Amino acid sequence: MINRRYFLAALGLIGLSGCRSRGGVALPGLREWGSHGMRDGQFASPRAIGVRETSGGQEIFVIDKSGRVQVFSAEGSFLRKWLMPAYEKGTPTAVYFSGERVIIPDTHYSQIIEYTGEGHELERWGSFGAGSAQFIYPTGLCMDEGGAYFFSEYGEEAHRVHVFDKKRQFLRQWGGFGEAPGQFSRPMSIARASDGTLCVADTANHRVQCFDALGQLKKIFGGDGTMKYPHDVAVGPDDTLYVAEYGAHRISRLRLDGTMVATYGEAGRGPGQFNAPRGVAVASDGTVYVADTDNHRVQAFRTERAA
């Protein structure tokens, strides 16, 4: 049997074969920073990315496979960093912000860690298991106005959306492993629109599924060959959905009714090109930040409100 890790690595190489290593794609206001390495401002396969809106401007949080949480200005200037407690088993795939708290699902350690914006740990919660109040591999997170937590999660018996109240008490879950509507195969991210719609990147099923807060299925995007390994989802200020497709080396943008607004990028290493992007975040001004994973950099570009 082909090892999944090597299969996905080969997929990335195949996707880039024959593509330009120079040149690029013109994206509005495009800027980029980072290179492969372990110095401040460099990356080792950045996977998680998030935008924190502060009184001083946007701060961009990036987590890579070395377990570093690096923080940058919107222009890409390095500000500070800290290390996750452990990273030998694997590293987080999401970062989320609630008030002054930075919340990170510590995926491969089956726990949630909450920090201050400066990286001081506030608390940890969760334990390994498939029970109602446990996690296998928590991957993504969003919250509602009442402080409820919605997690995407995968692992044996845990391909699901997992919901807790603001006191971290279990409320409900839905999903299960499979290909049927409402089931998941390696759900890697979750995002919430202004009307409460929850969109889940159902990665290995090559689709995004959208639900209401109680788990009622509302819409499915993809699953028909139009998406390829959607790994992260983010909702923009106009409620359009941005999808990082690492198998297609692009960012797709859709309305919540499923109509396509635009796709951004193509396979490659030049400006505006992507190599297996696994993270996307959208700021309140419409700036899109992409964890361009296998190019070991961050790229940012501007978008306008969808007509």
Side-chain angles (χ1 to χ4, degrees):
M1 179 177 293
I2 298 175
N3 181 283
R4 178 177 175 84
R5 179 180 299 175
Y6 293 113
F7 170 76
L8 294 179
L11 175 68
L13 291 174
I14 292 169
L16 281 178
S17 64
C19 292
R20 293 174 292 173
S21 60
R22 298 182 181 178
V25 176
L27 296 175
L30 180 66
R31 58 189 183 274
E32 63 178 88
W33 68 86
S35 60
H36 192 195
M38 294 298 295
R39 295 179 179 177
D40 293 346
Q42 293 184 312
F43 302 109
S45 299
R47 295 165 59 85
I49 191 166
V51 183
R52 183 184 183 217
E53 309 276 355
T54 74
S55 58
Q58 298 168 6
E59 291 186 339
I60 316 307
F61 287 65
V62 185
I63 309 176
D64 69 6
K65 292 185 74 173
S66 72
R68 293 176 298 166
V69 181
Q70 296 190 77
V71 186
F72 301 87
S73 71
E75 292 72 36
S77 298
F78 175 82
L79 299 176
R80 59 189 179 275
K81 69 178 179 182
W82 71 86
L83 276 175
M84 296 298 296
Y87 55 89
E88 291 80 5
K89 294 181 183 179
T91 49
T93 57
V95 55
Y96 188 81
F97 310 97
S98 177
E100 298 300 314
R101 294 193 170 216
V102 179
I103 308 173
I104 300 177
D106 195 9
T107 306
H108 295 272
Y109 292 87
S110 309
Q111 62 184 350
I112 312 304
I113 307 182
E114 304 196 17
Y115 295 93
T116 68
E118 300 299 315
H120 303 295
E121 185 176 323
L122 296 171
E123 60 181 308
R124 304 184 195 189
W125 54 285
S127 62
F128 179 81
S132 61
Q134 296 179 305
F135 300 103
I136 300 293
Y137 298 125
T139 54
L141 163 66
C142 62
M143 298 177 70
D144 67 14
E145 295 87 347
Y149 297 76
F150 296 82
F151 293 97
S152 55
E153 181 187 359
Y154 77 92
E156 286 189 35
E157 302 177 30
H159 293 260
R160 61 188 176 183
V161 173
H162 212 164
V163 188
F164 296 81
D165 68 17
K166 64 181 180 181
K167 296 182 179 180
R168 287 88 164 169
Q169 298 300 305
F170 172 77
L171 293 177
R172 57 190 171 274
Q173 65 183 35
W174 67 83
F177 179 75
E179 300 178 353
Q183 295 182 320
F184 303 110
S185 180
R186 208 175 181 93
M188 294 301 299
S189 178
I190 186 169
R192 183 176 181 273
S194 63
D195 67 354
T197 297
L198 299 162
C199 297
V200 181
D202 188 10
T203 303
N205 281 330
H206 308 285
R207 65 189 181 187
V208 173
Q209 299 194 76
C210 296
F211 304 84
D212 67 17
L214 297 179
Q216 183 68 38
L217 182 64
K218 298 177 69 173
K219 193 76 176 178
I220 296 177
F221 313 143
D224 55 0
T226 57
M227 284 189 178
K228 196 171 184 181
Y229 292 106
H231 196 272
D232 197 12
V233 288
V235 176
D238 61 354
D239 264 350
T240 53
L241 183 69
Y242 293 77
V243 184
E245 296 181 63
Y246 79 82
H249 310 287
R250 69 183 182 187
I251 305 300
S252 294
R253 183 184 182 190
L254 306 95
R255 295 183 178 86
L256 292 180
D257 65 5
T259 58
M260 183 69 72
V261 175
T263 59
Y264 306 101
E266 64 182 17
R269 299 177 179 86
Q273 297 176 325
F274 301 114
N275 187 355
R278 282 172 167 80
V280 62
V282 187
S284 60
D285 64 359
T287 301
V288 180
Y289 295 90
V290 181
D292 189 5
T293 305
D294 288 356
N295 281 330
H296 309 285
R297 65 185 176 186
V298 169
Q299 295 198 73
F301 56 93
R302 295 193 309 270
T303 60
E304 302 295 333
R305 294 184 66 87

